[in-house]
Amino acid sequence: MKNRRGISGVITVVILIALVMTIAGIVWAVVNNLVKEELEGAGSCFGIFGKVNLNSRYTCYNSSQELLFSISIGDVDVDEALIGISGQGTGVSFKLSSQAGPIDNVFTYPDRSADVSLPSKNSGLTYIFDLAGAGFSGTPDSVSIAPIIKGNQCGVSDTLGEIANCASLNL
């Protein structure tokens, strides 16, 4: 009789250990999947520092209420870019895509008739933004760019806080 009670206690301990290990495995699988998904999203923006820039040499505004801005993309594949323009209490934002197409008040420089697209890898393009057509009043104070890679919007990669008049740059 005493041997039976001893075996019963061992079986109970083995069952409890198996139950705890099973629950720990289920919790690990769920947590591991959640962490992996979050890391994949953040990983798409890793390493883009200095690779998506606004070129200050070709960014200016003119008397025709147009803003010229130039984007340079380094060795990174960018799907879209969110461009923000602000000044004197007014702000406008729009997306440039790697797929060419028309965008209201945005044109390529110097050919205004061409469809607008984001520069490809290791290249750059200059754009014209019609400030008046977009309802932007006054002169722009800053331009910023935030790349979108694999559907994930990264942080602002570059901002120009001082925008010169194009007449002073001799463009």
Side-chain angles (χ1 to χ4, degrees), residues 2 5 9 12 16-17 21 33-34 45 57 65 67 69 76-77 79 91 98 100 102 114 118 120 152 156 160:
K2 288 184 180 182
R5 287 186 185 164
T12 304
L16 284 173
I17 290 173
M21 291 185 68
N33 285 339
L34 290 174
C45 295
R57 174 150 168 71
Q65 285 291 302
L67 171 70
F69 64 97
V76 64
D77 291 316
D79 301 326
S98 58
L118 201 58
S120 57
N152 296 309
V156 173
L160 295 178

Side-chain angles (χ1 to χ4, degrees), residues 8 39 55 72 76 104-105 124 132 148 168:
S8 167
L39 286 177
N55 187 339
S72 300
V76 64
D104 290 340
N105 304 308
I148 299 171
S168 67

Side-chain angles (χ1 to χ4, degrees), residues 11-84:
I11 292 172
T12 304
V13 169
V14 170
I15 290 173
L16 284 173
I17 290 173
L19 185 62
V20 166
M21 291 185 68
T22 303
I23 292 172
I26 292 170
V27 168
W28 170 255
V30 170
V31 169
N32 189 29
N33 285 339
L34 290 174
V35 169
K36 191 179 283 186
E37 287 174 10
E38 290 298 319
L39 286 177
E40 286 175 3
S44 62
C45 295
F46 182 74
I48 65 163
F49 181 73
K51 294 183 179 178
V52 181
N53 297 314
L54 293 165
N55 187 339
S56 61
R57 174 150 168 71
Y58 301 107
T59 301
C60 61
Y61 66 91
N62 61 28
S63 59
S64 301
Q65 285 291 302
E66 294 175 332
L67 171 70
L68 279 74
F69 64 97
S70 180
I71 299 174
S72 300
I73 296 182
D75 189 20
V76 64
D77 291 316
V78 178
D79 301 326
E80 295 178 309
L82 184 62
I83 310 297

Side-chain angles (χ1 to χ4, degrees), residues 81-93:
L82 184 62
I83 310 297
I85 302 168
S86 63
Q88 300 176 353
T90 306
V92 176
S93 64

